[in-house]
Amino acid sequence: MPNTLMAHLGMEVLEATKDRVVMTMPVDSRTHQPMGLLHGGASVALAESAASLGGALNVSDQGKTVVGMEINANHLRSMREGVVKAIAEPIHRGSTTQVWQIRIVDERDRLVCISRCTLAVIQNRGRMADVTPTEH
């Protein structure tokens, strides 16, 4: 998705279905905090991006989309380099809200961050109208 935070931080979509979204993000100078570690805000951006993509896939055929309402994250493991992977799966898919759990793991599948994101379902008025499921 060019010209977005996702592109700027180097996020890539590996899998995108209504039931699961898998995305990666490099741990490098774009995503570091001043101490040279993965910035918690970068992890949260990855988590919300994955949840939002999955949420949008669930409602795009209804002329709706989703926006973030609330997100929390527990940062459990630090990283200085490599790639993190977010795996987002829905916990609740209602008519006005969705709740997604996002696990962010390192290259050895160790948990780096666990997050939960609540999305509001709204009428689509913009760019996400052409969202379709893909799997790589």
Side-chain angles (χ1 to χ4, degrees), residues 2 9 15 17 57 60 62-64 71 73 80 88 91 94 98 101 105 107 122 130-132 134-135:
L9 296 181
E15 177 183 335
T17 70
L57 289 171
S60 63
Q62 303 165 28
K64 296 184 178 183
I71 189 163
R80 290 190 178 276
I91 297 171
Q98 296 182 19
Q101 175 176 282
V105 298
E107 294 155 311
I122 63 169
D130 61 348
V131 172
T132 55
T134 59
E135 200 163 333

Side-chain angles (χ1 to χ4, degrees), residues 26-119:
V27 180
D28 61 20
S29 61
R30 294 172 290 182
T31 58
H32 282 161
Q33 44 93 304
M35 297 293 292
L37 300 171
L38 175 61
H39 194 295
S43 294
V44 170
L46 177 62
E48 186 165 344
S49 296
S52 293
L53 177 55
L57 289 171
N58 276 275
V59 297
S60 63
D61 60 347
Q62 303 165 28
K64 296 184 178 183
T65 193
V66 295
V67 293
M69 282 178 62
E70 189 274 340
I71 189 163
N72 68 51
N74 295 99
H75 308 290
L76 306 171
R77 178 179 303 280
S78 64
M79 288 186 66
R80 290 190 178 276
E81 60 184 15
V83 175
V84 288
K85 177 172 60 175
I87 303 102
E89 296 176 319
I91 297 171
H92 165 75
R93 289 179 276 201
S95 60
T96 59
T97 62
Q98 296 182 19
V99 179
W100 287 71
Q101 175 176 282
I102 309 94
R103 294 179 67 248
I104 298 178
V105 298
D106 67 10
E107 294 155 311
R108 293 177 23 195
D109 204 36
R110 295 178 300 180
L111 193 60
V112 172
C113 176
I114 187 76
S115 181
R116 190 181 64 238
C117 183
T118 303
L119 305 170

